[in-house]
Amino acid sequence: MAIQTEDPRVIEFDVRTDEMLVNMGPQHPSTHGVLRLLLRTDGEVVHECTPHIGYLHRCAEKIGENLAGPQWIPYTDRMDYLAGMNMNLGMSLAYEKLLGMELPEKAVTLRVIIAELGRIASHLVGMGAYGLDLGSFSPFLYAFREREIILDLFEEVCGARLTYSYLTIGGATHDLPGMIEIPPGLAALTGKSPNTRMTWTDATLLFLEHLEDRIREYHTLLTNNSIFIKRTAGIGIMPAEMAISYGCSGPVLRGSGVDLDLRRDGEPIYTRMYDGYNYRIPVPPFDEAPPEVVVGDNWCRFYVRMLEVVESIGLVRQSLAKYPSTEGTYRVPFKMNTKLPKDECYLETECPRGQMGFYLVGNGQAEPLRARAKSSCFCNLSITGPLCKGVLLADVPAVVGSLDIVMGEIDR
Amino acid sequence: MTVSEIHARLVDKFGSDAIPALNTEAIDHWVEVAADRMAEVAEFLKQDEALQFDNLTDLCGVDYFAADPKQLKKLDHEPHVEVVYQLYSFPLKHRCTVKVKLPRWKNDEEGVLPEVPSVAHIWAIADWHERETFDLMGIRFLNHPNLSRILCPDDWVGHALRKDYEFPLEYHGIRGM
């Protein structure tokens, strides 16, 4: 249910307005990628919003049907390019479910470290870019400054900064590195000399220590900022029932007050990763929320992401502490030409943007008969039409931005 | 509720003609529903007290076919297409996979798309998923509010995820592969 703004003809009866078709995008800076919104407006009020997608469609599913599992992994990176690690993880787990593989404890712990760092990096962009949508530029730069350090750490792990292909079927391609040179961003953050050498795990822990302070800064800059609250609270309200019917997932669903996180409620092959960890799943209503906030509005979705970063910091800390003492290897060997069984399976994982599902059908060959990637943002975006009905034109970026969409994942 | 129990409940309500098969051998157990009864079965799946499938997590099509005649011989099933529904219930926390089997072409006339009733009025997300399946797999959803292409341009020819799809050599004067 959208906010009902008073009929503009009543407010300003001497100003005549006509219905107008406004095209926003496909390359508008506030649309988070190539998304075209077709808006039917009357004055400043949006009466109808139709999203048009497909500008980035690359037939990733068709390609997946012609490639063996490990060859398809680089394509999953390019779907959700802001959380490549989590996409690799989801796809690898789907293959492992199909093949019935058992992973050693060490590989599982390593995946928790990497996946949660990926979640932090992704939420930082979601949060910073949302500030940019509402006209505050600094948090965007700060968020990227922090994300850069995570990317430096990822670069030490696998050599890539955006498209990792690191987590693979059977574990990961490499073990975590030993001694590294301190990432430049981290050296600047902590005041250490740029020539310092330390282990990768120590560098990560050092970074997490400082990140928590920075999160407090973001709360000052955005969460408790009265302009930010005015722009987000009570706008784009998504009741729980509507969110479920539209298949929303992740922070968008939890922002509506539905307590579902696949890390806890998913299938055993996935929840096994998070057994024994101590973490909280933030769901509104929040006690500390400003009085204007309604459950399911833009502010809640944003705040859920902020709190999840803090939870992920805790998860990385716990898994880093556990990693040195775990048994087994970081990887079970997997041959490229391993034949898939004549069976099918569907698996969803909790990616930063929501529940990413992979559906695989094997037919006795190395290439699957069907490789389907169900996108979380696709479902989250489909709600834009009803959500934008009746909001002001200036609030459309605020609503779309709060869904934290990545067009690469929607179009695949 | 396990998938076998869900199957028993559906057979009780609709008879075995509407629910022709149950597979408990697969990794994710699935129930098959006759194509023409899908809309009412879906309605029941959502409304029934013991089922309450209020979330459609995924809807996709699968083409059981191979363009290469040698590979086609190796397939152990008749060529057909399937629509696969992945359901999840928030209140009861159970999952179920529902399948609808369709011929590759309606009445075996090449080029005439097979049809299945739309479930967009039951789960709102099915609207977009069905448009995507229509666009890429070539399955027509009856009573869909706006069955148009979603990922490809409106004037695109063919359905890309069909196994016998041929890549176009040219599109609006732009040379392809």
Side-chain angles (χ1 to χ4, degrees):
Chain A
M1 226 189 295
I3 283 248
Q4 289 300 314
T5 310
E6 280 176 274
D7 191 336
R9 279 164 301 189
V10 180
I11 309 169
E12 300 172 47
F13 46 86
D14 52 339
V15 179
R16 287 227 183 86
T17 54
D18 282 329
E19 280 207 343
M20 205 160 80
L21 270 183
V22 179
N23 272 293
M24 231 173 116
Q27 261 122 359
H28 194 274
S30 70
T31 51
H32 296 250
V34 267
L35 163 68
R36 176 171 151 235
L37 292 171
L38 190 59
L39 307 169
R40 200 158 59 80
T41 61
D42 187 351
E44 290 226 22
V45 184
V46 178
H47 281 189
E48 199 184 319
C49 167
T50 319
H52 287 269
I53 62 171
Y55 294 93
L56 256 175
H57 183 49
R58 291 153 293 176
C59 266
E61 292 177 8
K62 183 81 173 177
I63 293 169
E65 287 168 15
N66 293 303
L67 295 178
Q71 293 174 308
W72 197 39
I73 283 185
Y75 290 87
T76 60
D77 281 326
R78 282 149 182 85
M79 289 182 203
D80 187 350
Y81 41 76
L82 293 180
M85 290 290 193
N86 301 69
M87 296 291 284
N88 295 162
L89 174 65
M91 187 239 146
S92 312
L93 277 171
Y95 266 89
E96 282 155 20
K97 185 179 173 187
L98 184 64
L99 294 156
M101 275 169 99
E102 282 287 325
L103 288 202
E105 194 60 28
K106 193 157 189 148
V108 174
T109 316
L110 185 142
R111 282 180 167 186
V112 176
I113 301 172
I114 298 296
E116 293 306 316
L117 275 176
R119 191 183 309 278
I120 297 172
S122 166
H123 278 342
L124 282 174
V125 176
M127 191 200 68
Y130 191 45
L132 191 64
D133 285 341
L134 301 177
S136 64
F137 193 68
S138 317
F140 180 71
L141 288 179
Y142 296 157
F144 267 82
R145 182 186 62 189
E146 261 74 271
R147 179 183 153 91
E148 203 71 358
I149 300 172
I150 301 183
L151 297 191
D152 284 337
L153 291 169
F154 279 166
E155 193 179 1
E156 294 291 347
V157 165
C158 63
R161 297 176 66 83
L162 191 70
T163 49
Y164 314 102
S165 314
Y166 175 57
L167 302 182
T168 179
I169 301 164
T173 52
H174 305 82
D175 202 351
L176 293 178
M179 295 298 277
I180 59 164
E181 261 179 39
I182 189 166
L186 188 59
L189 182 68
T190 53
K192 285 195 186 313
S193 147
N195 302 323
T196 317
R197 286 180 69 80
M198 57 195 336
T199 61
W200 188 87
T201 41
D202 284 347
T204 311
L205 283 172
L206 190 63
F207 165 66
L208 294 181
E209 216 169 280
H210 287 266
L211 183 62
E212 278 186 335
D213 294 337
R214 291 289 166 92
I215 298 290
R216 249 165 258 139
E217 279 178 29
Y218 295 133
H219 283 300
T220 322
L221 275 171
L222 292 175
T223 320
N224 300 324
N225 180 327
S226 66
I227 301 174
F228 183 83
I229 294 170
K230 282 236 166 76
R231 291 291 312 270
T232 54
I235 296 169
I237 301 166
M238 190 194 293
E241 209 168 277
M242 181 179 173
I244 291 172
S245 178
Y246 275 89
C248 293
S249 51
V252 177
L253 179 71
R254 287 193 287 278
S256 295
V258 182
D259 190 4
L260 181 94
D261 191 315
L262 290 183
R263 286 178 289 175
R264 185 195 59 201
D265 307 319
E267 293 186 41
I269 187 168
Y270 183 53
T271 49
R272 172 190 172 221
M273 274 174 65
Y274 292 92
D275 275 352
Y277 286 97
N278 182 18
Y279 63 103
R280 219 162 45 88
I281 292 159
V283 175
F286 301 111
D287 296 336
E288 65 274 27
E292 304 94 314
V293 167
V294 187
V295 173
D297 65 359
N298 292 343
W299 193 90
C300 282
R301 289 194 277 280
F302 166 83
Y303 197 57
V304 163
R305 273 184 208 110
M306 295 279 279
L307 293 183
E308 274 185 27
V309 172
V310 179
E311 295 305 317
S312 291
I313 292 174
L315 274 169
V316 178
R317 281 217 177 104
Q318 291 170 46
S319 47
L320 277 175
K322 197 176 159 193
Y323 188 67
S325 59
T326 46
E327 287 171 12
T329 58
Y330 61 91
R331 185 177 189 195
V332 187
F334 177 81
K335 283 207 182 82
M336 190 84 85
N337 57 2
T338 306
K339 302 267 190 286
L340 300 177
K342 288 189 178 178
D343 207 337
E344 55 203 273
C345 81
Y346 179 74
L347 184 77
E348 281 195 336
T349 55
E350 188 75 31
C351 277
R353 284 177 184 74
Q355 299 170 8
M356 185 72 207
F358 283 93
Y359 177 67
L360 297 167
V361 182
N363 67 339
Q365 291 170 345
E367 298 87 11
L369 180 82
R370 178 82 165 97
R372 153 95 173 149
K374 176 252 169 182
S375 153
S376 51
C377 296
F378 185 83
C379 306
N380 290 349
L381 182 70
S382 76
I383 206 169
T384 341
L387 214 55
C388 285
K389 207 175 256 179
V391 304
L392 294 173
L393 190 54
D395 287 333
V396 172
V399 172
V400 175
S402 75
L403 303 174
D404 189 19
I405 51 171
V406 162
M407 291 312 289
E409 194 204 16
I410 293 168
D411 294 341
R412 282 152 289 144
Chain B
M1 235 184 184
T2 64
V3 175
S4 317
E5 287 163 6
I6 292 166
H7 174 256
R9 199 170 170 82
L10 288 177
V11 171
D12 263 5
K13 172 83 183 169
F14 295 100
S16 50
D17 283 353
I19 319 289
L22 162 75
N23 186 337
T24 49
E25 312 266 288
I27 300 172
D28 292 330
H29 303 173
W30 49 263
V31 177
E32 195 196 326
V33 175
D36 48 343
R37 307 290 296 276
M38 186 55 206
E40 43 183 317
V41 174
E43 185 84 48
F44 180 72
L45 282 166
K46 188 180 179 187
Q47 304 298 349
D48 188 52
E49 279 298 305
L51 302 172
Q52 293 189 41
F53 284 110
D54 51 357
N55 187 231
L56 178 74
T57 44
D58 187 26
L59 188 163
C60 70
V62 187
D63 187 7
Y64 285 90
F65 185 72
D68 182 12
K70 267 188 197 163
Q71 284 190 6
L72 189 59
K73 269 185 203 162
K74 282 188 201 161
L75 293 181
D76 52 0
H77 35 64
E78 286 292 301
H80 66 280
V81 288
E82 278 178 10
V83 185
V84 186
Y85 303 79
Q86 309 284 351
L87 302 172
Y88 180 70
S89 162
F90 277 84
L92 303 174
K93 302 223 182 290
H94 56 193
R95 282 164 211 280
C96 181
T97 307
V98 173
K99 281 189 174 189
V100 172
K101 287 190 184 172
L102 298 165
R104 290 195 82 237
W105 303 111
K106 193 185 175 188
N107 304 330
D108 287 326
E109 273 178 61
E110 182 124 355
V112 185
L113 300 183
E115 289 169 348
V116 64
S118 164
V119 293
H121 58 288
I122 299 163
W123 298 288
I125 182 60
D127 185 339
W128 276 32
H129 276 320
E130 283 173 355
R131 277 176 72 187
E132 191 192 336
T133 310
F134 162 72
D135 184 356
L136 298 178
M137 192 58 82
I139 294 166
R140 196 167 279 288
F141 291 87
L142 298 173
N143 304 325
H144 187 281
N146 169 31
L147 195 66
S148 55
R149 287 182 182 264
I150 187 166
L151 289 174
C152 296
D154 284 336
D155 57 353
W156 196 261
V157 179
H159 303 280
L161 284 178
R162 287 275 178 144
K163 290 284 177 189
D164 52 358
Y165 172 75
E166 281 174 17
F167 286 94
L169 296 173
E170 201 182 82
Y171 175 73
H172 285 291
I174 307 161
R175 277 184 59 202
M177 39 207 295

